[in-house]
Amino acid sequence: MTHIAVLGSTNMDLVAFVAKAPQRGETVTGREFRTIPGGKGANQAVAAARAGATVSMIGAVGNDAAGTRLRETLEHSGVDTDFLRTVEGPSGTAHIVVDDEGGNSIVVIPGANGTVDHLSPGDEGLIASADTLLLQLEIPLAAVVAGAAAAHRHGVRTILTPSPIQPLPPELLAATDLLVPNQYEAITLTGRTDPREAATALLELVPRAVVTLGATGCLYVSRDAEPLVVPAPRVEAVDTTAAGDTFTGALAVALAEEKPVREALSWAAAAASLSVERAGASASMPYRPEIDARFTA
């Protein structure tokens, strides 16, 4: 079975549902509040595990109730947490406002994730045993760079989600096989305002990239192949939180299983489309039979 390692964040998502998100200085009344396990690293781990891979999570949670629940949620989805450390202090949190159109805005407080600033003993061995390493930017950049370099040394595919967006050091880009930004992140990284131009410009940084375009689908570019535009299934979005993480986790599984690129992208888009039909981050992520059913429909 495909083995995917994830080096990244775990957060407790504190989600407020509102008709319309407040502007600066404005107070609005929400209709619902939920506490949902999330974090970009944990989200991608759950997505990959539910999509059919063996998944191992490298990161940290706090020694609080949130940390216990975060670990249990990962384990319930089949993610190995032997390398998920428990540290003194609070777990990470994400404060999310979701509007009635399914859009969201997010403030992340790192908490325990801030302690993941290096690889600990055993982490490199775990990475070396994997087919793919998934990376994001909700933990200190030094650890992301170290993880990517370790994967590169051992011939393990690296997939990087550059979120929250920040400048990417050359050593990280050199060890990145596939970059998966959303449209905003691609434009920020390249300075190009047109998504297709931004995607092409990313090839100056990495050999392959997938720019996710929300409900429109995604755009794949490679230094050694023609660009691909893959549409997303048309669905009624309830909550887009973690749709990108669902896409990336499922894509990692599909590529590790050596699906053709177009098929892998379509399969991942099917997974993401299922996730936006439900509220929450990890709670919304589909299992493989659901993805296969939507993909073949």
Side-chain angles (χ1 to χ4, degrees), residues 145-162:
V145 172
H152 192 64
R153 281 194 295 273
H154 295 284
V156 175
R157 177 191 284 116
T158 53
I159 300 179
L160 172 64
T161 301

Side-chain angles (χ1 to χ4, degrees), residues 202-229:
L202 289 173
L203 296 180
E204 299 172 12
L205 306 176
V206 293
R208 287 168 291 280
V210 178
V211 178
T212 58
L213 305 171
T216 304
C218 65
L219 173 61
Y220 171 81
V221 291
S222 169
R223 291 174 182 170
D224 54 11
E226 290 297 311
L228 292 174
V229 177

Side-chain angles (χ1 to χ4, degrees), residues 179 181-206 209 211 213 219 221:
L179 190 69
N182 63 23
Q183 181 173 326
Y184 166 78
E185 291 154 358
I187 289 170
T188 302
L189 286 171
T190 64
R192 311 291 177 88
T193 55
D194 177 77
R196 187 179 290 272
E197 290 181 4
T200 301
L202 289 173
L203 296 180
E204 299 172 12
L205 306 176
V206 293
V211 178
L213 305 171
L219 173 61
V221 291

Side-chain angles (χ1 to χ4, degrees), residues 27-77:
T27 300
V28 300
T29 299
R31 57 179 169 77
E32 188 179 358
F33 174 78
R34 296 185 187 179
T35 303
I36 306 170
K40 294 196 74 64
N43 288 342
Q44 291 184 6
V46 170
R50 292 186 179 183
T54 296
V55 181
S56 302
M57 180 76 201
I58 305 171
V61 295
N63 61 343
D64 54 4
T68 300
R69 186 177 171 195
L70 288 166
R71 184 182 297 276
E72 290 175 347
T73 297
L74 286 164
E75 292 172 349
H76 181 72
S77 290

Side-chain angles (χ1 to χ4, degrees), residues 8-248:
S9 60
T10 57
N11 290 321
M12 188 59 73
D13 292 348
L14 310 176
V15 189
F17 295 89
V18 299
K20 184 176 180 297
Q23 301 297 310
R24 184 174 182 178
E26 181 184 10
T27 300
V28 300
T29 299
R31 57 179 169 77
E32 188 179 358
F33 174 78
R34 296 185 187 179
T35 303
I36 306 170
K40 294 196 74 64
N43 288 342
Q44 291 184 6
V46 170
R50 292 186 179 183
T54 296
V55 181
S56 302
M57 180 76 201
I58 305 171
V61 295
N63 61 343
D64 54 4
T68 300
R69 186 177 171 195
L70 288 166
R71 184 182 297 276
E72 290 175 347
T73 297
L74 286 164
E75 292 172 349
H76 181 72
S77 290
V79 178
D80 172 39
T81 61
D82 287 351
F83 289 79
L84 180 65
R85 297 175 284 281
T86 299
V87 300
E88 291 289 331
S91 298
T93 54
H95 304 256
I96 305 172
V97 175
V98 178
D99 63 34
D100 279 352
E101 295 182 357
N104 63 69
S105 56
I106 306 173
V107 177
V108 174
I109 310 297
N113 298 305
T115 69
V116 186
D117 56 4
H118 62 282
L119 294 185
S120 294
D123 289 352
E124 181 161 347
L126 176 64
I127 291 169
S129 72
D131 301 298
T132 303
L133 175 66
L134 291 177
L135 299 158
Q136 323 78 33
L137 301 178
E138 286 185 345
I139 60 173
L141 192 58
V144 179
V145 172
H152 192 64
R153 281 194 295 273
H154 295 284
V156 175
R157 177 191 284 116
T158 53
I159 300 179
L160 172 64
T161 301
S163 177
I165 191 66
Q166 58 184 283
L168 303 178
E171 58 268 35
L172 177 56
L173 292 168
T176 297
D177 295 307
L178 176 64
L179 190 69
V180 188
N182 63 23
Q183 181 173 326
Y184 166 78
E185 291 154 358
I187 289 170
T188 302
L189 286 171
T190 64
R192 311 291 177 88
T193 55
D194 177 77
R196 187 179 290 272
E197 290 181 4
T200 301
L202 289 173
L203 296 180
E204 299 172 12
L205 306 176
V206 293
R208 287 168 291 280
V210 178
V211 178
T212 58
L213 305 171
T216 304
C218 65
L219 173 61
Y220 171 81
V221 291
S222 169
R223 291 174 182 170
D224 54 11
E226 290 297 311
L228 292 174
V229 177
V230 176
R234 291 185 175 275
V235 297
E236 190 70 30
V238 172
D239 181 2
T240 59
T241 304
D245 294 329
T246 304
F247 176 89
T248 302

